[in-house]
Amino acid sequence: MCGFLGIFGPEGVDVAQEIYEGLLAVQHRGQDAAGIITFTDRFHVKKGRGLVIEVFNKDNMARLRGNLGVGHVRYPTVGSGHDEEAQPFHHTYPLGVAMAHNGNVTNVEELTREKFSSNGTRLNSSCDLEIILWVFQDELARRIRERGTIDNDDVFRAVARVYERVKGAYSVVATIPDVGLVAFRDPYGIKPIVIGEKTTDEGRWFACASESVVLDVTGYQRTIDVGPGEAVFVNDAREVFVRKIAD
C-alpha cells in the first residue's frame, strides 16, 4: 500500500507545497520513504527514507520549482527498500516522464528476463514501478520516432501497451513536461485513483491522487473516479480526455 499525488497547475505556480500537504494526508499509506519530483526546464528531485516531515525541509522544498509535479509515500512490497527504491521515478530520454504508483506488478521477473535483458536494457532498481515506466515510455518513444510528436492517442496507446505487457494490480500517475498529466488504473481495478479540479486566480488546477482525502485537504473538487482499465489525460491546453482502454 502506497500513496501518491500528481498536480498540474497553471503556468507560473509552484505545486510542491500542495504535494507536500497532500502527502501528509496519505502518510498512513506509507511510512518507509517519500519523494517529490517537479519540473521547470528540468526535473527537480527530492526523495529519501523516512516520513514526509523527515525527508523534506525548507531548503530542499525551495528548489522543487514548477507547475507540474508528482509525489509519493512508500510502503515497500517489492524491492530492497533502499533509498534508490523510493518513488517517484523519472526518465529523461527520449522525452521526460515522472511517475508514481500504488500496487504490485506480478510478472516483474518475466519481463526483466525476456524483455529487458534480451535487448540490453538495464533497470536502475528492483522497484516494480520502473517496469511500468519503461514500458510506457518505450511506447511513447516509438510514436515519436514515427511521427515526431505525440498527442492524446499516443498517450492512450502507451497506456494500452502497459496493460498488454504489465500484469498485476496498480494505479498510476505520470507527468510529461510540455505534454500533460496522465492517470490510469489496471483492468482489475483493485487500486483506487481519483481526479480533482479547482480554479483560482492563477487559473485551472488538476490533481490525481490515490484517495480522495488528498483532494479534500488541498481544496480540489473530485470530478472523476478512474475506472478499471481506464485512463485520463489532461493535455497542455488543459483539455481532459477520458478513455476506456481495457475490459
Side-chain angles (χ1 to χ4, degrees):
M1 183 172 68
C2 298
F4 62 75
L5 170 62
I7 296 181
F8 187 13
E11 292 293 333
V13 305
D14 293 322
V15 300
Q17 186 61 41
E18 278 202 1
I19 294 175
Y20 176 88
E21 294 169 1
L23 293 183
L24 288 175
V26 289
Q27 183 73 86
H28 60 283
R29 296 185 68 89
Q31 298 86 40
D32 180 73
I36 296 176
I37 295 179
T38 61
F39 185 85
T40 51
D41 56 338
R42 63 185 180 87
F43 285 108
H44 308 281
V45 183
K46 175 57 185 175
K47 54 185 182 177
R49 298 192 68 180
L51 301 175
V52 173
I53 60 172
E54 297 170 337
V55 173
F56 301 103
N57 56 44
K58 183 178 179 180
D59 290 337
N60 58 50
M61 286 293 294
R63 63 180 177 79
L64 294 174
R65 306 296 302 278
N67 71 321
L68 188 64
V70 58
H72 185 270
V73 290
R74 181 182 72 183
Y75 176 85
T77 55
V78 174
S80 64
H82 296 154
D83 287 356
E84 62 269 17
E85 308 291 306
Q87 298 185 41
F89 282 7
H90 75 291
H91 289 169
T92 58
Y93 181 84
L95 77 167
V97 180
M99 181 179 285
H101 90 320
N102 172 36
N104 288 97
V105 175
T106 57
N107 61 335
V108 170
E109 293 185 3
E110 175 189 343
L111 287 174
T112 302
R113 181 176 63 254
E114 298 180 5
K115 176 67 175 175
F116 303 128
S117 298
S118 63
N119 66 8
T121 298
R122 293 296 179 263
L123 302 177
N124 295 313
S125 73
S126 58
C127 179
D128 54 356
L129 171 67
E130 195 175 6
I131 300 287
I132 300 174
L133 175 56
W134 196 94
V135 173
F136 180 81
Q137 192 176 36
D138 186 56
E139 180 62 24
L140 288 182
R142 188 180 69 81
R143 306 291 281 187
I144 288 174
R145 288 193 296 270
E146 293 175 354
R147 304 176 58 249
T149 185
I150 58 174
D151 58 18
N152 57 311
D153 287 333
D154 298 322
V155 171
F156 289 134
R157 183 66 193 93
V159 175
R161 187 62 174 163
V162 172
Y163 290 162
E164 292 168 5
R165 297 291 299 171
V166 181
K167 307 306 178 184
Y170 47 84
S171 57
V172 177
V173 60
T175 56
I176 311 174
D178 304 316
V179 177
L181 178 75
V182 186
F184 57 93
R185 190 178 181 192
D186 78 271
Y188 293 106
I190 295 172
K191 303 294 183 179
I193 184 170
V194 294
I195 306 291
E197 296 183 38
K198 68 178 179 180
T199 301
T200 66
D201 292 340
E202 293 91 349
R204 294 178 72 192
W205 300 62
F206 295 87
C208 170
S210 55
E211 59 183 276
S212 60
V213 65
V214 184
L215 304 181
D216 297 336
V217 301
T218 49
Y220 289 84
Q221 179 181 357
R222 180 174 171 180
T223 55
I224 301 173
D225 281 71
V226 182
E230 190 171 74
V232 179
F233 173 48
V234 183
N235 70 11
D236 203 38
R238 273 62 175 186
E239 299 172 308
V240 181
F241 301 89
V242 181
R243 186 172 298 182
K244 178 76 169 179
I245 295 175
D247 292 332

